[in-house]
Amino acid sequence: MVKIKKISLNINEDIDYEFKKIASKRFGFERGWYSKAINEALVEWIERHGND
């Protein structure tokens, strides 16, 4: 079972808009689409910067 953590973020409105536009195309508007996109983005960021 995967543990889920709820967080609150403050991000630039323009970045959020662009992210949601791209994420909605990839995931559609199925339940949890925004969380799935955020998780995917965080995993990619960790993979890219984990060994800095």
Side-chain angles (χ1 to χ4, degrees):
M1 182 175 176
V2 175
K3 289 187 177 183
I4 302 296
K5 178 156 181 89
K6 187 172 187 171
I7 62 172
S8 175
L9 301 169
N10 295 311
I11 61 173
N12 179 289
E13 191 174 300
D14 295 331
I15 292 171
D16 184 51
Y17 174 79
E18 289 299 320
F19 185 82
K20 284 181 177 177
K21 188 167 65 171
I22 295 166
S24 65
K25 288 179 186 174
R26 175 165 166 70
F27 293 101
F29 289 102
E30 65 186 43
R31 183 179 173 136
W33 70 273
Y34 191 62
S35 293
K36 288 177 187 176
I38 292 291
N39 277 290
E40 185 176 287
L42 289 172
V43 167
E44 288 184 25
W45 192 90
I46 290 167
E47 288 173 351
R48 181 179 295 166
H49 298 286
N51 294 323
D52 287 353

